[in-house]
Amino acid sequence: MVSNHYVGELWGYYIDNTRFYNVLPTDVSIDHSKSSLLGKIVDTCPFDESSVKWRIPAKGAKSISQEGLDMLRNSIKRTNAQLEDAKIATQYSDKVVGFWKDDNLHFVHTEDMTECEQEPYSLKLDVFSRNTGILESDIMMKKGALFIGCGSVGSLAALELAKAGVGRFMLTDNDIFGYHNICRHQCGIYDVGRYKTEALRDRILQINPYAEVKTFNMQIQNVPIDELNQFCNPDTIVIGGADNREGDLYGNQIAQQAGMPFMSIGCWERAFAGEIFYCLPSGMPTYEDFVEVTGVMSGRVTQNRRFYTTEDDLRKISFEPGISVDIDFVTVIAMKLAIDILNRDNPNYTKRLLPHLTQYTLVCNTNDTKIGGESAEIFSYPLQVSTSIIVPYAKKKV
């Protein structure tokens, strides 16, 4: 905004009790249904400058200049006529008006004609500033993630990668967000009735308005090949969090063809445990190998995404999805691993989990048989994370 001497509309939010304007960037697509027209920026000051309560610089000056003293006197000795000018100014339809003066941008709150204090921000320096020294923002913005399923696993995974600075997303899911999803999903009550992909896209853009987010309200098998080819590259990870293994198997094929890493995340009955599988583009067994050789050992549940349409349906089924905190524990470990995988070729990055976790990791929430049944007895203690399961190659069919 400052660098290109912007003149035009200001969109964003105004918080009444803090008197805080959140002005959205002007070089991104803005959802006007979820923001307000706050005001505008013009070339020159549209007010009588003597009617404005100017801010006196508090930092960097050892003494107040003569100009500053004059401003202070004008503020203290404001005449009735000047106050009347301020009242007239409240008739402006714009809550805030910006203008350029001597190549500096000033903002005035028109209700009381007070100059606003500015806190300029940039995506890299401010939004992702707490990642400095851990993740390189320029590199992460070029990384991508293709999501197969945008439910409880996929929604948290996408938002965690967005917070880590990943800049490219493809979201695939044909499901509509319902009230029964609220207790486990990252979206909320205002998203009920929307496609999960579109609700999740908005959440991602709230974290990083510059992110590229493509949505497809369909199963991954139905996404046009041309779209997949344009999006996929070695800096992209495919993350399978679908309700069935078929979708993840298709995603594994895409990853192998495009030379991308692949990850599958799933929860067991009542989320007493979960599983994480990953494979790099070459040099290790694929997800197809895993399913053929060890899939029968897994306790991962395949559910019909339409189970929860009525209370009668809910009582009839044996599958219980588990609570959000259990699903999230599995997913967060998977995302730590995903960030390691995305930075696997970055010599300046210190890997957290990749050297320690094997291709197939089991994550235990509880080993209580009342929740997990007999399968829970394979774990020695709650919150156990396996580190030694080896995935073999499947026997090649002749």
Side-chain angles (χ1 to χ4, degrees):
M1 186 176 293
V2 174
S3 61
N4 62 1
H5 201 90
Y6 174 78
V7 173
E9 294 180 339
L10 294 174
W11 286 84
Y13 314 89
Y14 177 65
I15 313 301
D16 285 307
N17 60 350
T18 61
R19 291 168 58 85
F20 192 96
Y21 288 101
N22 179 15
V23 179
L24 298 177
T26 57
D27 55 349
V28 297
S29 178
I30 296 174
D31 185 353
H32 290 170
S33 67
K34 297 186 178 178
S35 58
S36 302
L37 179 59
L38 300 175
K40 58 180 177 287
I41 296 178
V42 295
D43 276 320
T44 58
C45 180
F47 315 111
D48 178 354
E49 293 190 22
S50 65
S51 68
V52 178
K53 301 175 188 175
W54 299 98
R55 297 189 59 82
I56 304 298
K59 298 179 181 179
K62 295 182 179 179
S63 60
I64 299 177
S65 64
Q66 184 60 47
E67 181 182 3
L69 287 172
D70 291 341
M71 289 182 182
L72 186 59
R73 292 191 187 99
N74 287 337
S75 178
I76 295 173
K77 299 179 180 179
R78 192 176 305 275
T79 63
N80 290 334
Q82 290 171 331
L83 289 173
E84 187 63 29
D85 288 339
K87 291 179 181 178
I88 294 173
T90 62
Q91 298 174 7
Y92 280 90
S93 59
D94 301 311
K95 290 185 176 181
V96 63
V97 173
F99 60 90
W100 294 94
K101 182 179 180 182
D102 299 329
D103 290 327
N104 293 316
L105 182 58
H106 301 269
F107 290 96
V108 173
H109 183 66
T110 59
E111 289 185 1
D112 58 8
M113 296 302 292
T114 301
E115 184 183 15
C116 300
E117 180 181 0
Q118 298 181 46
E119 295 181 12
Y121 67 90
S122 71
L123 182 68
K124 184 170 70 173
L125 296 180
D126 295 288
V127 176
F128 299 120
S129 62
R130 299 302 174 93
N131 293 342
T132 303
I134 303 173
L135 297 169
E136 297 182 44
S137 299
D138 290 337
I139 293 177
M140 293 301 292
M141 280 292 290
K142 298 175 183 178
K143 303 295 184 181
L146 190 167
F147 283 88
I148 303 171
C150 297
S152 54
V153 170
S155 62
L156 177 61
L159 296 189
E160 288 300 324
L161 291 186
K163 292 174 184 177
V166 171
R168 302 169 54 252
F169 296 85
M170 179 179 284
L171 311 177
T172 68
D173 199 318
N174 66 347
D175 200 19
I176 296 173
F177 189 77
Y179 284 102
H180 59 271
N181 298 125
I182 293 174
C183 65
R184 295 181 304 277
H185 204 275
Q186 299 303 306
C187 296
I189 195 168
Y190 295 111
D191 295 306
V192 170
R194 304 180 67 196
Y195 278 109
K196 289 180 179 178
T197 54
E198 296 172 1
L200 183 56
R201 173 197 60 200
D202 291 351
R203 291 296 312 277
I204 292 171
L205 293 176
Q206 286 181 37
I207 296 170
N208 179 1
Y210 293 94
E212 173 193 347
V213 186
K214 294 188 174 184
T215 60
F216 293 91
N217 304 323
M218 59 189 71
Q219 294 180 330
I220 182 65
Q221 295 92 324
N222 298 324
V223 176
I225 295 298
D226 289 345
E227 294 286 352
L228 292 171
N229 290 336
Q230 291 176 17
F231 183 82
C232 295
N233 61 45
D235 284 329
T236 300
I237 185 171
V238 179
I239 297 180
D243 293 333
N244 55 76
R245 292 199 186 279
E246 287 72 22
D248 287 2
L249 281 168
Y250 186 80
N252 173 73
Q253 294 175 9
I254 295 171
Q256 291 295 307
Q257 293 171 5
M260 300 184 296
F262 171 81
M263 175 177 286
S264 174
I265 312 164
C267 287
W268 292 10
E269 188 79 9
R270 301 178 74 179
F272 85 90
E275 62 179 45
I276 304 165
F277 172 89
Y278 80 90
C279 62
L280 299 179
S282 61
M284 57 176 55
T286 68
Y287 189 66
E288 186 175 358
D289 290 315
F290 164 74
V291 171
E292 184 173 338
V293 175
T294 64
V296 294
M297 299 165 49
S298 170
R300 179 173 174 179
V301 182
T302 296
Q303 67 161 309
N304 182 330
R305 63 169 70 247
R306 292 298 181 187
F307 271 153
Y308 306 106
T309 53
T310 69
E311 290 298 319
D312 288 338
D313 287 341
L314 185 60
R315 283 191 288 267
K316 291 176 184 176
I317 64 171
S318 60
F319 175 79
E320 296 182 49
I323 61 175
S324 178
V325 68
D326 288 337
I327 298 170
D328 291 356
F329 180 56
V330 177
T331 306
V332 166
I333 292 176
M335 288 307 97
K336 287 174 177 284
L337 188 56
I339 292 171
D340 279 359
I341 292 172
L342 286 170
N343 286 277
R344 65 192 182 280
D345 297 325
N346 181 359
N348 298 320
Y349 175 80
T350 302
K351 299 180 180 67
R352 270 65 175 169
L353 301 182
L354 196 54
H356 308 290
L357 297 187
T358 56
Q359 265 194 282
Y360 183 52
T361 299
L362 296 181
V363 180
C364 171
N365 280 302
T366 177
N367 63 342
D368 193 322
T369 56
K370 293 179 181 178
I371 297 177
E374 293 182 0
S375 298
E377 294 179 345
I378 68 174
F379 297 102
S380 301
Y381 51 87
L383 307 186
Q384 181 179 358
V385 179
S386 70
T387 59
S388 59
I389 302 176
I390 303 300
V391 177
Y393 286 96
K395 292 182 180 180
K396 302 299 181 183
K397 297 179 180 179
V398 179

